[in-house]
Amino acid sequence: MTAEELVAFAEGLSRVAATGGGPKALAAYLASHAGVGVLVEDARWRHIAAAGAGLPGSVRPMLPEGLERTPAPLSNGRAGYVVSIHAGDTPLGHLSVFGDQTYENIAPRLRLTAGAIAVELARDLGGSPGKRQTFWERALAGAYPDAQAARDDAAARGIALSSGYVAIALEAEGAEGSQSAALAAALRSIVGDAFRNAETEVGILDRGPTLAIFAPAAREIDYANARTAATLLPRTLAKRVPLARLSGGVGTHASFVEIARSLDEANVALAIGRRVYGGGRVAPYDDLGAYPLLLRGSDATELRAFARRTLAPLRAYDEKHQTNLQRTLELYFELGQNVKTAAEALSVHRHTVFYRLRQINELCGCKLDSSHDQLTFRMAIAIDALTS
């Protein structure tokens, strides 16, 4: 390996570990980048993690005599190498690889991975397994009475909190068996790259098939950047794992104490995105218009808030420039989307109506020839008329 390749591999291990991947994800990372099968066992020969096919139940019968911390070839003639995992002078287990890689090629990656796994296993020995995961689980369960209590507990766990977050729900598919571990490791790696923050914690939590991400977003611009980064994840993962298909949803900007609400929105956006768009994309909740209302059966307060939020850009523009964009849109729908008839009703030239419709598209980031966006505006106008 070149020095640059070695550094890149070490950085990848750090990203996997920083996002809470643990020994299983670290083993999968080594397997996918070195083209080998990987087996991790603890000091009592109990299985910890594996990645790849055709692996033995244990490496114990294959250990060479006097195994040291440097990689050694397996003693029974099977192609592969093994290295002891240590924390200081404490033996924690063994990391083994199986395949036709040469010693010179595999040794640096094997030793770096063993060191990263040693850190994870040493944390468990210290009595604090899953401290980060437990924190986020408690936060979602509403276990903290206020933000200060959460910050105190976070500090005790070595977690630096942001004042605001945005939740992202992701589900990857396209790999089976041993490849699923490699896909999970690749997903954690790109998530670490996309949402890395030098000052505050990125939360990552496994919730069944869903990977929940809590991206720091102290300001609105941070939320916008995280939202954009999330929508690019399917393309990034597909480059890393060609057969992978990633679906997801993005919640709205939330204070730390509201992250459960943001994650709920992200899960709703994930479900709607799959049903409406067929999956394979990450859908922001606030881009889905009326669909969340229809799916969840929202109450009157949510309906009014939806109408205000949808029509706000038009009202603000009309008030500032003394225009009639909202009224133009209302008449456009009311008169069967007939530009000529709408122009007559407004006493303006039809080109003026076309211009206003283009303005509406630009201000609201929508497409009035889209059935989805039409549904959103029609519902917002109807709710506004009923509740004004």
Side-chain angles (χ1 to χ4, degrees):
M1 296 180 69
T2 66
E4 185 175 344
E5 290 172 337
L6 194 61
V7 170
F9 182 79
E11 289 175 341
L13 288 174
S14 298
R15 288 193 295 271
V16 172
T19 54
K24 183 176 180 180
L26 291 167
Y29 183 81
L30 173 61
S32 63
H33 282 72
V36 294
V38 179
L39 179 65
V40 183
E41 297 173 275
D42 70 10
R44 298 183 181 181
W45 308 106
R46 294 175 299 190
H47 177 88
I48 295 177
L55 301 179
S58 173
V59 75
R60 187 174 188 179
M62 308 173 192
L63 281 180
E65 293 293 332
L67 176 66
E68 300 294 339
R69 301 189 190 187
T70 55
L74 300 176
S75 62
N76 68 341
R78 180 162 181 171
Y81 298 90
V82 59
V83 65
S84 180
I85 301 173
H86 278 76
D89 293 325
T90 304
L92 301 179
H94 299 93
L95 171 63
S96 309
V97 295
F98 302 87
D100 296 326
Q101 290 276 12
T102 64
Y103 175 85
E104 292 76 12
N105 189 38
I106 198 64
R109 283 181 282 198
L110 183 56
R111 293 177 66 180
L112 284 170
T113 307
I117 292 175
V119 173
E120 299 299 315
L121 297 181
R123 286 176 180 166
D124 290 353
L125 287 177
S128 57
K131 291 193 299 183
R132 281 171 163 73
Q133 180 143 329
T134 301
F135 172 79
W136 294 107
E137 288 173 345
R138 286 173 56 81
L140 289 176
Y144 300 109
D146 52 45
Q148 188 57 52
R151 289 192 189 94
D152 291 343
D153 189 34
R157 299 168 186 264
I159 299 172
L161 284 186
S162 172
S163 59
Y165 281 88
V166 55
I168 301 148
L170 302 172
E171 290 187 9
E173 53 192 356
E176 298 180 357
S178 61
Q179 294 301 313
S180 61
L183 176 57
L187 179 56
R188 283 180 175 270
S189 178
I190 67 168
V191 163
D193 287 339
F195 304 111
R196 185 185 306 148
N197 189 294
E199 299 177 354
T200 51
E201 185 84 3
V202 178
I204 298 186
L205 188 61
D206 286 299
R207 296 174 69 82
T210 306
L211 189 67
I213 315 298
F214 305 101
R219 303 164 299 169
E220 284 292 336
I221 186 63
D222 299 324
Y223 162 66
N225 290 339
R227 183 179 179 276
T228 300
T231 62
L232 297 175
L233 290 177
R235 189 184 310 170
T236 306
L237 182 62
K239 291 179 180 177
R240 187 84 60 88
V241 185
L243 296 179
R245 180 179 172 86
L246 182 65
S247 300
V250 183
T252 57
H253 194 203
S255 66
F256 173 77
V257 295
E258 298 174 314
I259 61 169
R261 184 262 298 163
S262 185
L263 182 58
D264 180 55
E265 293 171 343
N267 283 320
V268 168
L270 168 60
I272 293 173
R274 276 185 164 155
R275 296 178 190 181
V276 175
Y277 304 117
R281 62 186 290 178
V282 175
Y285 183 88
D286 53 9
D287 277 1
L288 294 173
Y291 286 101
L293 305 181
L294 299 174
L295 179 68
R296 306 172 72 170
S298 301
D299 60 22
T301 300
E302 290 177 307
L303 292 173
R304 285 193 295 268
F306 159 75
R308 286 196 302 269
R309 184 171 63 249
T310 303
L311 299 174
L314 304 184
R315 288 177 171 166
Y317 189 90
D318 283 343
E319 183 176 345
K320 181 177 181 180
H321 299 280
Q322 300 301 302
T323 53
N324 292 294
L325 295 186
Q326 182 174 336
R327 180 57 180 159
T328 299
L329 182 62
E330 292 170 350
L331 278 172
Y332 175 67
F333 286 141
E334 183 181 326
L335 299 173
Q337 297 173 230
N338 188 309
V339 172
K340 180 180 178 182
T341 307
E344 292 173 353
L346 291 164
S347 300
V348 297
H349 194 278
R350 62 188 181 89
H351 288 166
T352 301
V353 175
F354 278 122
Y355 176 72
R356 291 178 181 178
L357 294 178
R358 287 197 298 270
Q359 282 185 296
I360 292 169
N361 283 336
E362 293 172 2
L363 286 170
C364 299
C366 66
K367 295 180 180 178
L368 288 176
D369 56 359
S370 160
S371 59
H372 298 165
D373 290 342
Q374 284 184 24
L375 175 62
T376 295
F377 278 113
R378 287 178 182 274
M379 281 191 62
I381 290 169
I383 294 168
D384 184 60
L386 290 171
T387 58
S388 294

